[in-house]
Amino acid sequence: MTQSKVQVFVGFDSKEVIAYHVLCQSILERSSMPVVFSPLYLPNLEGIFTRERNALQSTEFSFSRFLVPCLSGFEGWSLFMDCDMLMRADIAELWELRDDRYAVMCVKHDYQPKVETKFLGQTQTKYEKKNWSSVMLFNNAKCRALTPDFVNTATGLQLHQFKWLDGDENIGELPAAWNWLVNEYDYRPDAKNVHFTDGGPYFDEYRRDDYAEEWFAMRERTLHVQQRGD
């Protein structure tokens, strides 16, 4: 279980490109370990991910996230994160929580979404284990059921409700602070990773949500260039 670097796969959506880069910057700035980023960008996955877009998908990476164990060669551990997040703590703390007893680890949310529509008007689908799959630590060798063929053909609920595992006892629990749902949960000063699940601050209607100012400050650092004479 000794991996000298954090392997992070981040969902990439062409409708919110800046989200990917700001999340990566927020991870980099606070990490005490080397980090390797792999964006799940659909044009890079042609030939592996062949599934057609479903009308209920709110992002381009709704299903491609489950390719992470395969893309990792079913070896070691990998972390998946949605792009609409902001890391506020050292990702090494999250990485330290890996437990070989489990095939996958996540925050086990138990809530009903407060809104009916998400960013860009997408329907807010409601289902058991909602948002569990938005941050996942994969113990890749124990996730061999997630072959490209299975990921391309399984139903959305089979994937997002972890029905590819032999039972829920294979799902380890992460503290809620590592996937703190903005607007669904009250503001928490010590939230370690916040998730703008309704819509990121880069969408006008969410510019004043909790943690939005922090996100914009991180965007400024992401875009920073030191000019001659600064």
Side-chain angles (χ1 to χ4, degrees):
M1 213 171 79
T2 55
Q3 281 180 257
S4 59
K5 57 183 179 292
V6 184
Q7 178 74 25
V8 186
F9 289 80
V10 179
F12 189 101
D13 194 303
S14 57
K15 299 187 301 295
E16 44 185 342
V17 170
I18 189 63
Y20 169 85
H21 297 282
V22 172
L23 172 58
C24 291
Q25 183 66 18
S26 71
I27 293 171
L28 284 172
E29 284 198 9
R30 296 181 172 94
S31 181
S32 60
M33 290 178 65
V35 183
V36 177
F37 293 107
S38 297
L40 292 177
Y41 181 46
L42 292 186
N44 301 159
L45 298 173
E46 289 181 7
I48 304 172
F49 187 73
T50 56
R51 168 176 202 136
E52 287 191 13
R53 181 76 186 251
N54 182 301
L56 292 177
Q57 284 182 242
S58 58
T59 65
E60 294 173 6
F61 52 85
S62 291
F63 300 117
S64 58
R65 71 188 69 201
F66 295 102
L67 287 174
V68 166
C70 175
L71 294 172
S72 304
F74 296 108
E75 294 179 348
W77 284 77
S78 300
L79 174 66
F80 169 80
M81 299 178 70
D82 281 9
C83 63
D84 54 351
M85 296 181 170
L86 182 74
M87 183 63 70
R88 304 172 78 236
D90 185 349
I91 200 171
E93 295 177 35
L94 175 56
W95 197 239
E96 192 64 29
L97 298 176
R98 292 167 297 148
D99 187 330
D100 273 330
R101 290 177 298 171
Y102 303 110
V104 66
M105 302 179 71
C106 62
V107 176
K108 297 182 176 182
H109 303 285
D110 184 12
Y111 79 108
Q112 282 291 321
K114 294 177 181 177
V115 297
E116 296 296 324
T117 57
K118 298 174 64 168
F119 55 94
L120 302 182
Q122 285 111 338
T123 300
Q124 175 73 276
T125 53
K126 300 176 182 180
Y127 56 88
E128 185 188 346
K129 297 186 173 71
K130 185 171 178 64
N131 261 314
W132 286 29
S133 61
S134 53
V135 172
M136 293 182 285
L137 271 170
F138 283 107
N139 188 357
N140 295 311
K142 292 188 175 183
C143 300
R144 292 185 180 275
L146 294 176
T147 62
D149 185 57
F150 182 80
V151 174
N152 284 320
T153 57
T155 67
L157 290 182
Q158 280 179 305
L159 292 167
H160 287 282
Q161 292 184 335
F162 301 87
K163 295 185 185 298
W164 41 273
L165 292 171
D166 289 337
D168 284 359
E169 65 274 11
N170 295 293
I171 309 172
E173 185 162 12
L174 297 174
W178 289 108
N179 191 358
W180 195 252
L181 306 180
V182 178
N183 292 342
E184 299 293 347
Y185 299 159
D186 291 337
Y187 178 83
R188 177 174 173 171
D190 63 342
K192 296 177 182 292
N193 174 57
V194 296
H195 183 185
F196 300 99
T197 181
D198 293 342
Y202 35 85
F203 294 121
D204 288 343
E205 57 266 49
Y206 305 104
R207 293 176 68 86
R208 293 178 178 81
D209 285 354
D210 289 345
Y211 313 98
E213 286 189 11
E214 290 181 41
W215 187 91
F216 284 115
M218 187 60 65
R219 185 185 67 175
E220 288 306 304
R221 291 201 287 284
T222 303
L223 298 172
H224 175 70
V225 178
Q226 182 170 336
Q227 303 291 351
R228 184 185 298 185
D230 284 357

